[in-house]
Amino acid sequence: MRGRVTALSVIIVLLFGLVLGQAAFIQVHRAAGLDASPGNPRNNSQSTSQYPRGNIYSSNGLLLAKSVHTADSTYPWVRRYPLGRLTSDVVGYSSTIYGTGGIEYEYNNFLVSHAQPARSAIQVLDPVHSYDNVKLTLEVALQQVAARALNGTDGAVVALNPKTGAVLAMYSNPTYNPAPLAALNASVQHAAWIKYNKNNVHGFPPLGSVATQQTFPPGSTFKVVTTAAVYRYWPALAQKSYGPYSCLPLAQWHSTLCLQNSGGGSCGGTIKVMLPASCDPGYANIGFDLGASTLFDQARQFGYNSIPPLDLPGVVPSYFPPPNYFLNHQPSTGYAAIGQDNVRATALQDALVAAGIANRGIVLAPHFLRSIIDPLGNVVARTRNSVWRRPLTAAQAAQIVPLMQGVVQYGTAQLVGFLPQDDVAAKTGTAQTGVGNTNTDDWMIAFAPASDPVVAVAVVVPYQSLNGYGATVAGPIMKCVIEAQLAIVAGQPPAGTATTCPL
């Protein structure tokens, strides 16, 4: 009899342990998958707007997204976006048919109603369910300046705090109004979805951010990466004088091409002279001296060929060809060194290059999230700044800063009109593109103040005419954004000038 009781007890203990083990497995190992599963009834009810979502705020507390109660019994809550197109590329949308995008997607698990941490014994047994609010790093005033400076032209502006990785502004054209995607009427949502996923004349869909999802030849802004490779791998090249050249023949690589400086004319010298002047033949020769493998590695160190860890869906990597590509395309090494051929970059990546130089050779992970706030106003999560790349030492990066200041003081950005007191360091870029090189993609990267940078920016305006240049097309936009952010940091309104940077 005692043996039977013992055996039964063992069986009960084993079964109890099995139940506990299964519960632990579900709660720990499968929790995330079940939480996100479309078969989860809670998710289904959330997707049909049965419950309100948390608010999304800008860095200074401006409301970017909220839920509003309706009289509709099927969809009692509808999403509203007070700033509409201005922040839609970042904030995204919440649709009863098409799900979520942008920050709405990235932080969905916080924004939907979910179990809050227990604050009493009763709440352990009966958890309180509610949503959290999300606060971003986005500076709305700077976003407004970027949008108005682009003035409806296809392109993108990305502004970062180089010391933290915080995204201060990210605006792209084309963009979209998120309101129809959150409408109660299904036909309105469907019509908007079709419209926003249709490419414009340049092949850009409004729902696809130009800043993070489109790549372009970076042109001469890539010379900053080439310069970085000199200081990191072969510092003696910094003292080597090249040229002068009016046109660099490529016959030694069995090519009939002749690499000419943008706009013609002759140029050459050391990199101290050639970076401010943006000498294409000289930098092509630097590329040949460094070699494709060195250029590839330096580009990789800045983040090329990797997806930047931005908390936004759909971010694409920038591209630098692998070394074996150049074995059969040897002249391409020279073109790659000046950001042409098959080199392609997003505006986000180029902003990260500028930020890496500004931040003493360290590229911090870009991020939008500032904090997660519970219904009682408590901060439950906060972004911790983290290093993404270390492309240079502080000493190596410091040698590039005065060269980029020279671009503004006496180089290709001299006529942009940067204020001397802003101490801007920059690099222009003009990439010839299109069939027969009939267009230009116009770039500028910059940071300021060069002595203690608080903002790093990239501007790209693609598909411009052949008489467009980085300085003349992207330069005025950059000037507006730099001046605006420096004003914000100083506690002043980012008014700019009435003609070039209107608010």
Side-chain angles (χ1 to χ4, degrees):
M1 182 68 179
R2 182 177 297 176
R4 292 180 182 178
V5 172
T6 301
L8 182 61
S9 299
V10 171
I11 292 172
I12 291 173
V13 170
L14 289 174
L15 291 175
F16 187 66
L18 184 63
V19 170
L20 287 177
Q22 177 70 358
F25 176 75
I26 291 174
Q27 290 290 333
V28 177
H29 295 286
R30 296 194 61 202
L34 291 172
D35 215 26
S37 171
N40 185 337
R42 182 172 66 84
N43 284 342
N44 286 337
S45 64
Q46 293 297 338
S47 66
T48 53
S49 302
Q50 290 296 315
Y51 300 95
R53 294 169 64 84
N55 295 335
I56 301 175
Y57 296 99
S58 72
S59 64
N60 62 345
L62 288 177
L63 190 62
L64 306 180
K66 64 178 179 178
S67 291
V68 176
H69 196 267
T70 75
D72 191 294
S73 59
T74 305
Y75 304 119
W77 294 94
V78 66
R79 205 65 166 155
R80 291 287 184 259
Y81 300 96
L83 299 185
R85 297 174 182 273
L86 180 65
T87 57
S88 58
D89 270 358
V90 176
V91 174
Y93 57 86
S94 179
S95 164
T96 58
I97 300 175
Y98 301 107
T100 54
I103 292 295
E104 293 271 34
Y105 171 88
E106 195 73 24
Y107 294 105
N108 184 65
N109 287 345
F110 292 99
L111 292 166
V112 299
S113 180
H114 58 279
Q116 295 291 326
R119 299 183 182 277
S120 68
I122 294 176
Q123 290 179 3
V124 172
L125 300 174
D126 185 17
V128 173
H129 285 74
S130 184
Y131 55 77
D132 291 323
N133 297 315
V134 171
K135 191 170 187 179
L136 305 181
T137 60
L138 199 69
E139 295 272 5
V140 170
L142 190 63
Q143 188 84 347
Q144 290 174 324
V145 169
R148 291 172 181 174
L150 270 173
N151 195 29
T153 304
D154 283 358
V157 175
V158 178
L160 308 172
N161 181 332
K163 298 177 182 178
T164 66
V167 182
L168 306 172
M170 180 179 286
Y171 185 83
S172 299
N173 280 326
T175 186
Y176 66 97
N177 179 6
L181 292 175
L184 295 179
N185 188 306
S187 61
V188 172
Q189 287 193 44
H190 181 67
W193 184 258
I194 297 299
K195 177 182 178 182
Y196 296 159
N197 278 288
K198 185 178 180 181
N199 289 348
N200 71 359
V201 66
H202 293 144
F204 306 146
L207 271 180
S209 170
V210 172
T212 61
Q213 298 178 11
Q214 298 291 339
T215 61
F216 311 94
S220 291
T221 61
F222 191 82
K223 289 172 184 170
V224 173
V225 179
T226 303
T227 303
V230 169
Y231 285 115
R232 177 170 179 162
Y233 294 103
W234 199 348
L237 285 184
Q239 307 305 320
K240 182 177 178 179
S241 184
Y242 293 84
Y245 311 95
S246 57
C247 196
L248 178 67
L250 303 176
Q252 59 181 309
W253 294 283
H254 310 290
S255 171
T256 58
L257 296 174
C258 180
L259 200 158
Q260 189 174 14
N261 199 46
S262 178
S266 178
C267 63
T270 64
I271 61 172
K272 184 178 181 180
V273 175
M274 293 196 299
L275 187 72
S278 201
C279 180
D280 286 346
Y283 261 83
N285 247 344
I286 292 176
F288 291 132
D289 280 347
L290 289 170
S293 294
T294 299
L295 288 172
F296 172 81
D297 191 64
Q298 187 63 72
R300 184 179 60 82
Q301 293 293 334
F302 273 104
Y304 275 76
N305 300 327
S306 296
I307 298 175
L310 180 67
D311 47 347
L312 209 62
V315 178
V316 303
S318 298
Y319 180 73
F320 192 91
N324 60 8
Y325 164 81
F326 297 93
L327 295 177
N328 296 320
H329 304 82
Q330 289 178 326
S332 294
T333 303
Y335 285 98
I338 61 173
Q340 300 256 177
D341 199 74
N342 279 353
V343 182
R344 299 186 70 86
T346 62
L348 173 61
Q349 176 61 65
D350 235 6
L352 291 168
V353 170
I357 304 300
N359 194 40
R360 298 168 59 85
I362 298 174
V363 180
L364 293 176
H367 62 270
F368 277 109
L369 181 67
R370 184 170 177 177
S371 57
I372 303 291
I373 305 166
D374 72 13
L376 299 177
N378 301 304
V379 175
V380 297
R382 193 186 303 274
T383 295
R384 294 180 181 273
N385 302 334
S386 61
V387 174
W388 183 45
R389 291 284 191 272
R390 295 181 184 271
L392 296 169
T393 66
Q396 291 162 351
Q399 295 182 81
I400 300 175
V401 174
L403 305 184
M404 295 179 68
Q405 289 175 293
V407 173
V408 173
Q409 294 165 2
Y410 52 86
T412 55
Q414 182 180 9
L415 298 181
V416 172
F418 289 112
L419 302 176
Q421 62 267 30
D422 289 346
D423 190 17
V424 179
K427 184 67 194 80
T428 57
T430 307
Q432 285 73 39
T433 61
V435 179
N437 288 337
T438 52
N439 296 105
T440 58
D441 292 339
D442 297 322
W443 289 86
M444 183 174 284
I445 60 174
F447 55 87
S451 58
D452 187 19
V454 297
V455 63
V457 186
V459 175
V460 61
V461 187
Y463 293 103
Q464 297 298 294
S465 65
L466 277 179
N467 60 359
Y469 293 92
T472 57
V473 177
I477 300 169
M478 178 66 77
K479 181 176 184 292
C480 290
V481 174
I482 290 284
E483 289 181 6
Q485 184 56 22
L486 293 181
I488 291 170
V489 170
Q492 301 168 359
T497 64
T499 55
T500 58
C501 308
L503 290 178

